[in-house]
Amino acid sequence: MTIGVPKEIKIGETRVSMTPSLCRRCVSLGARVLIEKRAGVVAGFTDAEYRAAGATLVGDPSRIWRAADLILKVKEPLPDEYSLLQDGQTIFTYLHLAAGPELAKVLLKKNILGIAYETVEGVDGSFPLLKPMSQIAGRLSIQIGAYFLQSQHGGSGVLLGGIPGTMPGHVVVVGAGNSGRHAVQMAVGMGARVSVLDLDTRRLESLDMEYRGRVVTLMSNPANIESEVADADLLIGAVLIPAAKAPIVVKAKTVARMRPGSVIVDIAIDQGGCIESIRPTSHEKPVYNEHGVIHYAVPNMPALVGRTATLGLTQATEPYLVMLVSRGVDRALAEHEGLHRGVNTRGGKITYPAVAKALGYA
């Protein structure tokens, strides 16, 4: 098997899909690894380290795409890469097809076997390849929100932790999954007042027990969302339905009631976002102002901490990549149900029900 690792081209992307140690393991299993020059430099991995691990360094990314049986990436292929995809090729990456209908069409036209990190399942039904990036995004969302709340960035000038004699900032987290829980953890650690809303009472009970009343837990319904969001200094959108388009849970009219200079960070933007007034931004232009509220919606947020994110991601993907290399793609998918659930496209068809439904193929 030939594995191709092109450099990520999404704006501000600093992660790489393979570390030198993972490269060494794949080579030891008989794989040929082609890595684009400087693909890992920003994440702290030099070309010399990859070469020592047995990789072949390639300057022209098109050579990698043409030669590889398996393309290993972090982010989904972008329009500039569509023409590089080879008919019948396998790609293993975050695909987020529910929010990418044009990419879906390309994958179907080229009969791409698309294995999406975000739908690979563990034996317990969890999503082990989504988890580390959700954790990072959740933690970063509070740091980012605190930054843009500063007056010099157009924010309301609220310090989340406050000082004695003043009210701390109010952080509202909508969604208590992996990213939401980690946002709560960071916000509590900074001394903010924290409210979290979710539909799952078990998640709310767990947070209530963990923080012993320091966090306000509420059922996610329109009345609670409207009252909490209107009082929020920082709103975190963290609603996820695996592989499906995120539902809109905060309406634009609710955002319009927030205090001027308040901040929104929508972690669900990869799947379309869960806040009506949100639209994707980039690391070059991360925010925009609407209704007097600062909106942050960078789809590849974990790229802000490229080394940590790369290590977290590759630790999670390694056992699945090893299966694909050692057993071959077809056998690995046949023998491992969780990996098989990662398949979103195959043979010109969308095979993951939630994706098919979101894109109108079901």
Side-chain angles (χ1 to χ4, degrees), residues 62-314:
S62 65
R63 285 181 52 202
I64 294 174
W65 289 86
R66 287 197 303 268
D69 305 303
L70 170 66
I71 292 289
L72 189 69
K73 287 182 92 282
V74 176
K75 292 302 290 177
E76 72 282 355
L78 297 182
D80 286 349
E81 296 170 311
Y82 290 173
S83 63
L84 299 176
L85 283 158
Q86 305 297 300
D87 194 76
Q89 201 166 43
T90 298
I91 185 164
F92 192 26
T93 187
Y94 288 114
L95 286 174
H96 297 296
L97 292 180
E102 293 306 313
L103 173 59
K105 290 177 184 176
V106 173
L107 298 184
L108 298 184
K109 183 178 179 181
K110 295 200 173 188
N111 297 300
I112 301 298
L113 173 53
I115 308 173
Y117 291 159
E118 69 269 18
T119 62
V120 172
E121 290 189 23
V123 293
D124 58 353
S126 64
F127 297 91
L129 308 192
L130 188 61
K131 184 177 181 179
M133 297 306 100
S134 295
Q135 293 171 335
I136 288 173
R139 295 186 180 206
L140 278 175
S141 69
I142 304 301
Q143 291 184 199
I144 291 163
Y147 177 83
F148 284 106
L149 277 170
Q150 294 174 189
S151 301
Q152 69 267 40
H153 302 303
S156 60
V158 169
L159 179 65
L160 286 181
I163 60 169
T166 71
M167 285 287 286
H170 186 193
V171 175
V172 175
V173 181
V174 182
N178 271 320
S179 57
R181 290 186 72 96
H182 282 261
V184 168
Q185 183 184 62
M186 289 292 285
V188 170
M190 292 178 75
R193 290 183 293 134
V194 181
S195 301
V196 58
L197 301 96
D198 198 277
L199 292 171
D200 190 335
T201 56
R202 294 170 300 178
R203 289 178 174 178
L204 298 178
E205 288 168 1
S206 174
L207 285 167
D208 185 67
M209 291 180 65
E210 181 176 353
Y211 293 102
R212 301 184 181 185
R214 293 177 63 198
V215 170
V216 175
T217 57
L218 296 166
M219 283 299 295
S220 184
N221 60 46
N224 285 337
I225 288 172
E226 286 177 18
S227 63
E228 291 300 306
V229 170
D231 186 58
D233 297 297
L234 171 59
L235 170 62
I236 307 298
V239 175
L240 171 72
I241 300 175
K245 188 171 175 58
I248 298 297
V249 295
V250 180
K251 300 294 185 181
K253 64 179 183 180
T254 305
V255 172
R257 293 179 57 209
M258 296 176 72
R259 288 184 291 273
S262 299
V263 176
I264 293 173
V265 179
D266 196 339
I267 300 170
I269 194 63
D270 269 328
Q271 296 293 112
C274 63
I275 294 162
E276 191 173 33
S277 56
I278 210 73
R279 61 179 183 268
T281 60
S282 71
H283 287 295
E284 287 184 349
K285 295 182 178 180
V287 298
Y288 61 91
N289 192 301
E290 192 164 322
H291 303 297
V293 176
I294 297 170
H295 291 60
Y296 178 102
V298 176
N300 54 335
M301 193 190 304
L304 289 170
V305 288
R307 187 169 180 88
T308 295
T310 292
L311 291 170
L313 176 61
T314 55

Side-chain angles (χ1 to χ4, degrees), residues 5 7 14-24 35-53 55 57 74 305-315:
V5 181
K7 186 177 180 180
T14 62
R15 292 168 290 180
V16 63
S17 60
M18 179 178 281
T19 60
S21 83
L22 180 52
C23 175
R24 184 174 291 106
I35 295 182
E36 187 175 349
K37 290 179 179 178
R38 298 185 62 79
V41 168
V42 182
F45 303 106
T46 66
D47 287 354
E49 289 177 284
Y50 285 111
R51 195 174 287 110
L57 277 293
V74 176
V305 288
R307 187 169 180 88
T308 295
T310 292
L311 291 170
L313 176 61
T314 55
Q315 286 172 182

